[in-house]
Amino acid sequence: MNFITIPSEIERRSMEIIAPYLKEYHLSEEEIKVYSRIIHASGDPEYAPIIKIHQDAISKAKAALLNGADIYTDVEMVRTGINKKRLAEYGGQVHCLIADPEVAKKAKEEGITRSMAAVRSFGKALNGSIVAIGNAPTALFEILHLMQQEEIYPALIIGVPVGFVGAAESKEHLMETSPVPYITVRGNKGGSPIAAAITNAILYML
Amino acid sequence: MNFITIPSEIERRSMEIIAPYLKEYHLSEEEIKVYSRIIHASGDPEYAPIIKIHQDAISKAKAALLNGADIYTDVEMVRTGINKKRLAEYGGQVHCLIADPEVAKKAKEEGITRSMAAVRSFGKALNGSIVAIGNAPTALFEILHLMQQEEIYPALIIGVPVGFVGAAESKEHLMETSPVPYITVRGNKGGSPIAAAITNAILYML
């Protein structure tokens, strides 16, 4: 079997194959980068029609990251997928509390998901940060609740929880009520690689 | 907004929603568990027609894991997604070498991907193990090469690399030439959560 083994060539060829799927959407160059990374990470061009990027999302996120903003994730897989070396060049770090024993205890006591308890624990640290939710609809609902009730305002919400129980609803709720810019995908699809792909697409624009 | 926040209830309801999508495939109870976890992790019922489970895959994997087999992954996101606590109950560990400096050096020297170099470095340790490839087609090609050239035989290959450059081909090649059982999905789709979902589905059967 002959196959391409040079990483840069694999990525170049992949982006070339993805480009035609995006033609009809009249995207900016930066939006093309976000769309392409999502489709590259999922192998699924059917993401194109469901991606929703708030008009200020990319510019606000870039400004925050250049200013050293941290990134907060709901689950470890999102943290793992983010290019932390690139983020560190600008002074930022990635935080995730889902494996924290205190968070697990709190979740059990309150009968809520660990990702929801983890997001709640971040509290005011979320101000000015990038939030990347790739797994739990409950975590995204919790972020929206924090913004409304406690006036905590991240610079950008990357909200792409996945699944059949609350995911689609949480993302519609994000688009309808978020006081800050967001990037999301409508419907049941999403997940950790999608959250990481969006985050990395923006990091690579800096 | 009202939404379900009890983890066990979210999972139960999710599996209930997924069940009707699987009716037409005449699956065993164990196969249903693998299919359901893939669709649960991706939010995408269109995985159902492309999932391919070798007839001996689940039984051989269960036997290996009960015997303390380790799991080898191509990338850190797959390792992160696997339930390591559950695996440890049977004596197994998860290994991933992609962040190893020696592997990075070797990849650069040879002009190959880091995941390919990582898989090559595992060598004979792969005998009797579970291999979970969730990202790189080059890693899956390398496993097939190791089996053919060096008579290294894992108990199961979970081969679900993703993307437009080599992924579909690597998975067809797996189905056509693997001397050991496999679980895969045809086409461009796949990824780390799919590899972790398949692995965890089997772990939860033990």
Side-chain angles (χ1 to χ4, degrees):
Chain A
M1 291 288 289
N2 277 320
F3 55 97
I4 311 176
T5 58
I6 304 162
S8 58
E9 178 60 16
I10 293 171
E11 187 163 315
R12 194 195 58 73
R13 181 74 192 112
S14 178
M15 296 305 169
E16 208 172 78
I17 293 168
I18 292 165
Y21 292 107
L22 306 181
K23 279 220 167 127
E24 64 186 281
Y25 297 98
H26 310 290
L27 305 170
S28 71
E29 274 197 38
E30 292 188 325
E31 287 171 332
I32 287 173
K33 287 178 184 173
V34 174
Y35 276 60
S36 300
R37 287 235 151 242
I38 291 173
I39 294 171
H40 178 68
S42 59
D44 185 1
E46 288 172 39
Y47 267 98
I50 58 174
I51 297 167
K52 302 291 163 193
I53 303 181
H54 181 283
Q55 59 179 359
D56 299 328
I58 296 173
S59 60
K60 295 276 183 194
K62 281 167 59 184
L65 290 167
L66 286 170
N67 203 26
D70 284 352
I71 299 175
Y72 291 81
T73 73
D74 60 336
V75 292
E76 288 290 344
M77 277 186 85
V78 178
R79 165 150 67 178
T80 304
I82 291 172
N83 190 328
K84 288 166 287 291
K85 205 170 150 186
R86 188 66 171 251
L87 178 63
E89 286 172 31
Y90 302 93
Q93 282 187 306
V94 188
H95 305 272
C96 177
L97 282 176
I98 194 146
D100 185 296
E102 277 302 305
V103 162
K105 197 180 147 208
K106 196 170 154 186
K108 209 167 182 181
E109 278 169 12
E110 301 182 18
I112 59 176
T113 66
R114 284 193 299 149
S115 2
M116 199 171 165
V119 163
R120 203 174 286 175
S121 297
F122 291 139
K124 291 198 194 314
L126 297 174
N127 275 313
S129 75
I130 312 290
V131 175
I133 306 291
N135 186 271
T138 53
L140 185 50
F141 278 122
E142 183 62 25
I143 289 283
L144 292 166
H145 178 81
L146 282 175
M147 289 196 290
Q148 278 162 9
Q149 299 295 315
E150 310 200 15
E151 300 184 0
I152 286 169
Y153 299 119
L156 171 70
I157 313 283
I158 296 168
V160 290
V162 62
F164 300 91
V165 183
E169 294 83 346
S170 72
K171 293 180 283 188
E172 291 301 320
H173 200 51
L174 171 70
M175 287 186 282
E176 284 159 16
T177 69
S178 177
V180 309
Y182 57 80
I183 299 178
T184 189
V185 299
R186 301 185 93 145
N188 302 320
K189 291 201 234 182
S192 305
I194 309 304
I198 295 168
T199 310
N200 289 336
I202 298 171
L203 280 170
Y204 299 151
M205 289 174 202
L206 303 178
Chain B
M1 289 289 288
N2 278 320
F3 55 98
I4 313 176
T5 59
I6 305 162
S8 58
E9 178 60 18
I10 293 171
E11 188 163 314
R12 195 196 58 74
R13 181 75 192 112
S14 179
M15 295 307 169
E16 207 172 77
I17 294 167
I18 292 165
Y21 291 108
L22 305 181
K23 279 219 168 127
E24 65 186 282
Y25 297 99
H26 310 289
L27 305 170
S28 71
E29 274 197 37
E30 293 189 325
E31 286 170 333
I32 287 173
K33 287 177 183 173
V34 174
Y35 276 61
S36 299
R37 288 237 150 240
I38 291 173
I39 294 171
H40 177 70
S42 60
D44 185 2
E46 288 173 38
Y47 267 98
I50 58 173
I51 297 168
K52 301 292 162 192
I53 302 182
H54 182 281
Q55 58 178 0
D56 298 328
I58 297 173
S59 60
K60 295 275 183 195
K62 280 166 61 184
L65 290 167
L66 286 171
N67 203 27
D70 283 353
I71 300 176
Y72 291 82
T73 74
D74 60 336
V75 293
E76 288 291 344
M77 278 186 86
V78 178
R79 164 149 69 178
T80 303
I82 291 172
N83 189 328
K84 289 165 286 291
K85 205 169 150 187
R86 188 67 172 248
L87 178 62
E89 286 173 30
Y90 302 94
Q93 283 187 305
V94 188
H95 305 271
C96 178
L97 281 175
I98 195 147
D100 185 294
E102 278 302 305
V103 161
K105 197 180 145 206
K106 197 170 153 185
K108 208 166 183 183
E109 278 168 12
E110 302 182 17
I112 59 177
T113 66
R114 283 193 300 149
S115 3
M116 198 172 166
V119 165
R120 203 174 286 177
S121 296
F122 290 139
K124 291 198 195 314
L126 298 174
N127 276 312
S129 74
I130 311 291
V131 175
I133 307 291
N135 186 272
T138 53
L140 184 51
F141 278 123
E142 184 63 24
I143 288 283
L144 292 166
H145 178 80
L146 281 176
M147 290 197 288
Q148 277 162 9
Q149 300 294 313
E150 310 200 14
E151 300 183 0
I152 287 169
Y153 300 119
L156 171 70
I157 313 285
I158 296 167
V160 290
V162 61
F164 300 91
V165 182
E169 294 84 345
S170 72
K171 292 180 284 189
E172 291 300 320
H173 200 48
L174 170 70
M175 288 186 280
E176 284 160 16
T177 70
S178 177
V180 308
Y182 56 79
I183 299 178
T184 188
V185 298
R186 301 185 93 147
N188 301 321
K189 291 200 230 181
S192 304
I194 309 304
I198 296 168
T199 309
N200 289 337
I202 298 171
L203 280 170
Y204 298 151
M205 289 174 204
L206 302 179

